[in-house]
Every structure is written in C-alpha cells, then in structure tokens.
Amino acid sequence: MSSDPITEAARRRTFAIISHPDAGKTTLTEMLLLAGGAIHLAGAVRARGEQRRTRSDWMKIERERGISVSASVMTFGSGDTVFNLLDTPGHEDFSEDTYRTLTAADSAIMVLDAAKGIEPQTLKLFEVCRLRDIPITTFINKMDREALDPFALLDEIHNRLALDPAPLYWPAGSGQRFRGMLDLRTDEFLPFTRPEAGEEENAESERIAFGGNSISDAMSADLLAELKEGAELARMGLPAFDREAFLGGHMTPVYFGSALRRFGVRELLAGIAADAPAPKVGGTKEVSGFVFKIQANMDPKHRDRVGFFRVSSGRFERGMTLKTATGKSINVHNPMMFLAQDREIADEAFPGDIIGIPNRGALRVGDSLSESGSVAYQGLPNFAPEILMRCRVRDPLKQKHLRRALEALADEGISQVFRPLIGADMIVGAVGALQFDVLKERIAEEYQLDVVFESSPYDSARWVAGEKKDLEALVERYRPQMAQDVEDALVFLGKSAWEIGYVQEKSAGVRFSAVKER
Ligand code: G4P
C-alpha cells in the first residue's frame, strides 16, 4: 500500500450526517457500517444494543462530567475507499460541537424523513454546511412508510435550501406500495422486497432491466405507469447530476431508500465513494491539521482530554512531535484511531483522517498543529448561541473565580461567555439546553463553585464590527445590551430576532454576524 499522502488522500471520504432527530441518522450510520463491511449483521444487532448502552452510559457521564462523549468518528474501509464518518450529536446533546464538527467534514449526507421533508434541525445544520460550501448528498429515508410525493420533496429542497436536487433514482410507490426504485442513469430497476420476519433484510437484490419483461412482475400495472411517468418527468424537468455543481455546493444528488430495511444504502455508499470530494491536501508537505473538538474524560478514571485532530497534509506517524502555532509542543505517543467498535493506536494517518490526541489541557479547540509550528489554519468559527442564561455564583466573593472557570470552559468550545459592559453578571450562551446542566456540574466539581443559571432577557447574540465611530454610536445607544466575549470582541445581546433585525436596521455601518470567524 502506498504511503504517499496525495494518493492516500485521494481515496479518503470524510463526511458527516446531518438530520433532524428521528429521521434515521443512527440507523443509517449502522447500515453504512454494515454496507461497508465494518460490522456484521449478528454483530450489528448486538452492537446496536451495546451502542444504546454505551450511549446512555456516556450520557450519564456527560451529565456527571459535562462532556459530549458519543463515538465521535468512525473509520471504515470498503473496496479501495477509506471512509471517516464524523458523528454530529443531534439529540439532547446538540451543541456547538455539532456545528463545529462539520468544519472537519469534506461533505455531508442530509437524511430526510420521506414523510416529513426538511425539519428545523436539518435546516440549521444545512446552513452551517453552506457557510463552508460543503457538498451535500441527500438520502430520502423511510420509503417503506407512507411518504410525501417525491416531487414535493425535491421542490422543498429547491425552495428552502436553494439547492438543485438531482435525483439519481426514482421510487416506485411508498409505504405498503413501495416496490423499489429505478436507477435513472442505467435504467435498471432495484426491487424492494419486504422481508419475512427473521429473514435477512434486502441483502442483495438483483437489478432488473427496465425495458424487459420481468419488470411487470415486480409491480402492478398502475404503479408501473406511475413510475414511468414520474421518472420521465424527473428526467425532463430536473437537472441531470453535474459533479462540478455538486462540489461547488449548488446541487445535491438525491438517493431514496429505507435505512431500517437496508434498502438503498449500498447505492448511497457507492455514490459517496464515487462523487463526494476527497480531502483537499494542504499546500505544505509536512504534517499539519487542526483540532476541532476536545472530549474530556473519555476515561472517567483519569483526568484526560482527547483532542480530535483532523490531518490536512502530510503523513502522520506515531511518536511525532507537533507544535501549535503559538509554540506549544506536543509529543504524540498514543494517537487514537476510531474504528466502528474499537479504538486502536494509530501508527499513521493521512489527510482526511481524524486521530485522537490524548493531552492534559495543552490543546484547545481551533488549534492548528504542524511539525514546524508555522502552519496556521483559519480558526474555527463560533456560532451565535441559541440559549443565553445569566450565571451567578452563590458566594459573591467568588465572582473572579467564576469568571476564570467560565472562560476556561469556553476554551473547550462547548459554551460561550459574555461580559456585559454594565454590571457584574456573566451571560453564558450555548446551543443546546443540556450544556447548562453539564456546566453547572463541571464548575462544581472542577472549580468547587456552586453556581446557578437563571433565565436572561436575551435570545441570541451577534458579533458586531465596523468603523470605530459607528460602533461607538451603537454602544452609546444600547449600552445595557452590549457585552464582550472571551477575546474582548464586541457583542450585541438581542432580546428577539425581531429586535436584532430592528437594531441592525438602525445601525448603519455596523455588521451583525451570527458567526464569528477566526
Ligand atoms: P435518529 O438517529 O436520526 O434520531 O433516528 P434513528 O435512527 O434512531 O431512527 C428513529 C426511528 O426511525 C427508529 O424507530 C428507527 O427504527 C426508525 N427508522 C429509521 N429508518 C427507518 C426506515 O427506513 N424505515 C422505517 N420504517 N423506520 C425507520 P424507533 O421506533 O424510534 O426506534 P427502534 O426502537 O425501532 O430502534
């Protein structure tokens, strides 16, 4: 096997799955691992139980220790392709981490529930992908259930996401009437068979030539006519798949299927291998990359932290010393690699790979690392928090300690802290509600401070930038709502989306931003 970073990068696909809770992300992940041969059916069922248990264990730890600890990366191979699937926590543990993980992905699969279409969390995550122009592959899941009309689903993608949907398959019916799908490029039909209880689900079904005789055995004459008409309309009315447009973030190839019934998953995985982008190899030959996530206490017995480092260039080897752009050195003795069910020591890694670097606080979210220490990647963005709470410490003499604790935790990137220009309160922002429980417990345990979070009048924050005189005018007018973040950047705390819009309109020359690029 080659160890040339360019060749190795070309066969890697580093991607994430974005979806609204319940659309089927967990099921699809499992079926992708199965399709990729990373787990086996018997193992999968067991793994599922284990995964559940692990997840809830981690949840408990998350509650006790305050960290997002779901399996963050899964690496598996299929054919000549190496897939790195990044987990974007989406349920109770939805947090800024979820957004930031997307900065380490080269593409994303957007899973839609065929009966529901685009839902709020899909939209939020999509917007983060759009910020970076990450190409999106769409998987319309749960076709074995009563679904919306496929044209309505594609219209929704077009109208709400401003993406051109290019269906690669066309479904025949849905729910009880679901019979399979037509490959629009080869004109072959993939039959869906509803498995009997206990039977292996859709292990491998034969493709049927659409023009041939056996196609009429696969479905009723009515459904066949419907499929022909639908496919015809889709071919005429919708753009054909254009890889360049997909890579540019303007078009999304659309797959249909049922993750639960393992139908359409192999096609999706093959599509990712064929069309999704390989990592762009950085301009330098040396090993470089960035830390996009810190997971504390993966092993609760030790006070450890693991930095998730995405390699961007070079060939990483175990034992290397990497330096941050600020000059800190870290010797990577025990880099972790994350397989479907195991963690292993990584002996080497290539662009697109993610390795876990155990450390005791030397690494921060957003750090660039390289052999020379001279590579600096654009910092990871901060996203405007969606929940803002006032934080108070019960012992008023501990105010300074509180500030230090909150700022240290903000460094980990799961919460943000704002100091209003007036008063002694600290305002803490997060993307998910769970983060506040987690913070309270961590502050108690790690800093011995008893804090309370109380609701604040604020709904969201915007970073502001502009000419000095315009900013001064803004501060003059809205001083009680102005604050600074940990890096002393100026922030406007808004009471509602409407108010933010209003103040924005009244403040000529000031840019309001929901994302802080660094
Ligand atoms: P999530 O991670 O996006 O939240 O979704 P998850 O995979 O947990 O799936 C949510 C529910 O939808 C699960 O049912 C799952 O079995 C079901 N599901 C996923 N894909 C399909 C599909 O293609 N067809 C059908 N019919 N159902 C699907 P549940 O009852 O909540 O959980 P479970 O007890 O069945 O595991």
Side-chain angles (χ1 to χ4, degrees):
M1 206 168 285
S2 152
S3 58
D4 163 42
I6 309 277
T7 320
E8 286 296 321
R11 64 189 192 99
R12 278 165 168 73
R13 300 291 178 270
T14 302
F15 67 102
I17 301 180
I18 62 173
S19 63
H20 191 82
D22 264 1
K25 188 181 70 164
T26 311
T27 312
L28 180 64
T29 300
E30 195 177 310
M31 298 309 161
L32 286 169
L33 294 174
L34 206 56
I39 52 176
H40 298 285
L41 193 59
V45 178
R46 201 176 48 237
R48 185 147 200 206
E50 262 160 31
Q51 194 185 346
R52 288 263 150 104
R53 212 169 320 124
T54 313
R55 203 208 247 170
S56 51
D57 280 357
W58 284 131
M59 282 297 291
K60 197 174 107 234
I61 293 164
E62 175 151 316
R63 293 231 169 80
E64 285 171 1
R65 301 288 311 151
I67 353 87
S68 176
V69 263
S70 43
S72 300
V73 186
M74 278 172 280
T75 297
F76 61 101
S78 176
D80 196 38
T81 310
V82 176
F83 297 96
N84 294 310
L85 171 50
L86 303 178
D87 186 36
T88 46
H91 292 242
E92 297 87 341
D93 44 357
F94 189 74
S95 73
E96 210 183 333
D97 256 5
T98 309
Y99 289 161
R100 225 181 273 108
T101 294
L102 291 171
T103 62
D106 297 312
S107 72
I109 297 177
M110 174 170 75
V111 181
L112 302 182
D113 180 329
K116 297 192 174 145
I118 293 163
E119 298 178 82
Q121 218 172 90
T122 337
L123 197 59
K124 274 196 216 166
L125 291 162
F126 170 78
E127 280 163 3
V128 177
C129 291
R130 170 139 285 175
L131 272 175
R132 304 258 144 163
D133 290 328
I134 297 175
I136 309 269
T137 301
T138 302
F139 184 71
I140 297 183
N141 189 30
K142 305 200 188 181
M143 289 305 296
D144 60 318
R145 292 241 186 111
E146 215 49 56
L148 296 172
D149 177 64
F151 285 106
L153 286 161
L154 299 183
D155 272 352
E156 203 179 15
I157 294 173
H158 183 261
N159 297 336
R160 297 189 57 194
L161 308 183
L163 266 183
D164 281 334
L168 300 181
Y169 292 85
W170 200 258
S174 73
Q176 284 301 328
R177 279 179 87 226
F178 186 52
R179 290 293 173 275
M181 58 190 187
L182 178 67
D183 183 332
L184 292 174
R185 293 186 291 190
T186 62
D187 230 15
E188 289 165 318
F189 187 75
L190 285 75
F192 170 73
T193 43
R194 203 167 277 278
E196 299 294 319
E199 201 180 30
E200 211 177 271
E201 292 169 358
N202 289 295
E204 191 85 54
S205 47
E206 291 257 324
R207 291 179 164 232
I208 306 174
F210 196 47
N213 292 334
S214 43
I215 190 70
S216 47
D217 299 338
M219 66 192 90
S220 70
D222 281 357
L223 190 57
L224 184 57
E226 205 178 288
L227 170 61
K228 279 189 175 147
E229 194 191 324
E232 175 99 6
L233 273 175
R235 279 194 179 116
M236 285 187 334
L238 294 165
F241 176 63
D242 169 0
R243 185 159 184 258
E244 286 311 308
F246 162 59
L247 295 180
H250 312 299
M251 175 178 274
T252 180
V254 180
Y255 294 80
F256 292 86
S258 163
L260 187 65
R261 312 268 172 220
R262 288 212 282 149
F263 183 76
V265 178
R266 263 186 311 263
E267 287 69 26
L268 174 67
L269 192 64
I272 297 291
D275 300 319
K280 289 194 189 75
V281 180
T284 168
K285 286 215 165 83
E286 64 172 314
V287 172
S288 74
F290 60 94
V291 177
F292 63 92
K293 178 184 172 108
I294 300 280
Q295 208 159 286
N297 308 298
M298 286 176 77
D299 178 352
K301 288 196 286 293
H302 302 278
R303 264 176 101 89
D304 67 335
R305 275 160 200 257
V306 173
F308 285 78
F309 173 65
R310 171 176 160 134
V311 180
S312 301
S313 68
R315 171 171 181 260
F316 169 85
E317 279 171 84
R318 180 180 178 190
M320 266 184 173
T321 298
L322 297 178
K323 297 190 189 114
T324 65
T326 51
K328 269 183 268 175
S329 269
I330 172 156
N331 190 299
V332 192
H333 294 294
N334 293 312
M336 295 151 97
M337 195 177 135
F338 306 87
L339 301 173
Q341 287 159 352
D342 288 311
R343 288 187 193 130
E344 272 187 7
I345 296 284
D347 287 317
E348 54 175 12
F350 295 96
D353 287 342
I354 283 96
I355 52 174
I357 303 183
N359 69 98
R360 294 181 179 276
L363 294 179
R364 287 174 48 172
V365 165
D367 275 347
S368 297
L369 294 176
S370 60
E371 289 172 83
S372 64
S374 65
V375 179
Y377 286 95
Q378 183 192 12
L380 297 182
N382 277 116
F383 297 93
E386 286 158 33
I387 308 171
L388 289 163
M389 304 275 264
R390 198 189 296 271
C391 184
R392 203 160 54 72
V393 60
R394 288 192 205 270
D395 178 352
L397 296 176
K398 296 277 172 66
Q399 191 64 25
K400 257 211 193 103
H401 294 81
L402 173 64
R403 177 169 163 181
R404 227 174 291 137
L406 289 174
E407 292 185 348
L409 291 167
D411 274 350
E412 273 180 35
I414 57 167
S415 60
Q416 295 176 49
V417 48
F418 303 106
R419 284 174 278 108
L421 299 188
I422 301 178
D425 279 339
M426 306 284 273
I427 302 288
V428 176
V431 167
L434 178 68
Q435 300 307 327
F436 291 99
D437 296 346
V438 147
L439 281 171
K440 181 175 162 57
E441 289 183 28
R442 283 193 61 184
I443 294 170
E445 194 156 326
E446 294 170 28
Y447 299 89
Q448 288 76 47
L449 294 175
D450 185 11
V451 300
V452 272
F453 285 103
E454 295 164 343
S455 61
S456 82
Y458 309 118
D459 186 66
S460 191
R462 292 290 179 272
W463 284 274
V464 293
E467 298 275 332
K468 194 160 174 251
K469 67 167 180 19
D470 295 326
L471 289 175
E472 278 170 2
L474 177 74
V475 170
E476 193 55 38
R477 251 182 111 165
Y478 296 101
R479 191 179 300 272
Q481 281 173 263
M482 300 306 300
Q484 288 179 307
D485 72 5
V486 266
E487 284 153 341
D488 297 335
L490 200 55
V491 170
F492 173 75
L493 301 172
K495 293 180 184 142
S496 65
W498 179 85
E499 191 203 37
I500 291 175
Y502 176 81
V503 172
Q504 202 163 344
E505 230 166 75
K506 295 278 164 208
S507 313
V510 181
R511 287 187 306 282
F512 287 70
S513 172
V515 178
K516 183 188 180 194
E517 296 276 354
R518 288 190 289 189

